[in-house]
Amino acid sequence: GASFSPLEFKWDSIMSGIVEMGLKTFTECMRIQTLGTPGLHLIQIDTYVLRLLLRSFTVEEVVLDSMLDESISSAAERCLAPSPLDPQVLESICERKLVNLAG
């Protein structure tokens, strides 16, 4: 499990705390699901995009990466037939998503 860093009354510290709590909740939601392969693929896509988008909201990049890795791992454990997306396919899908999000 992740250990949360103590909060200070500063914007970056508060945002880091919010990101950490949100990702912990996301991971816990994975642990009560049963996923098919498409569900695992969606989690891979979401965590890839979150990894890039959330960097600007946290000073704890190591914690961010660890929590997102834990989310993917939990999803794979709860998947009936885990068959992860090929990294190049994942990158291609996520690049399109990021372009759409950026406008």
Side-chain angles (χ1 to χ4, degrees):
S3 61
F4 298 107
S5 42
L7 288 181
E8 299 173 39
F9 196 69
K10 296 190 308 195
W11 186 87
D12 57 350
S13 179
I14 292 168
M15 289 307 293
S16 290
I18 292 169
V19 167
E20 289 174 15
M21 291 302 295
L23 290 178
K24 186 66 177 164
T25 301
F26 181 60
T27 299
E28 291 305 315
C29 288
M30 289 305 99
R31 293 184 174 153
I32 60 172
Q33 302 295 317
T34 301
L35 301 172
T37 302
L40 175 60
H41 292 174
L42 287 174
I43 298 303
Q44 282 186 277
I45 292 165
D46 289 347
T47 53
Y48 186 103
V49 171
L50 285 171
R51 194 177 305 267
L52 298 175
L53 294 178
L54 293 178
R55 289 234 184 277
S56 61
F57 293 102
T58 182
V59 293
E60 303 285 345
E61 288 191 15
V62 172
V63 174
L64 173 66
D65 287 337
S66 172
M67 294 182 86
L68 288 169
D69 291 345
E70 188 176 343
S71 293
I72 295 172
S73 175
S74 293
E77 287 174 10
R78 301 299 302 153
C79 184
L80 298 173
S83 177
L85 285 169
D86 178 76
Q88 288 164 332
V89 172
L90 178 62
E91 190 174 315
S92 170
I93 292 169
C94 292
E95 280 179 14
R96 287 194 308 268
K97 274 183 95 67
L98 288 166
V99 166
N100 290 339
L101 287 170

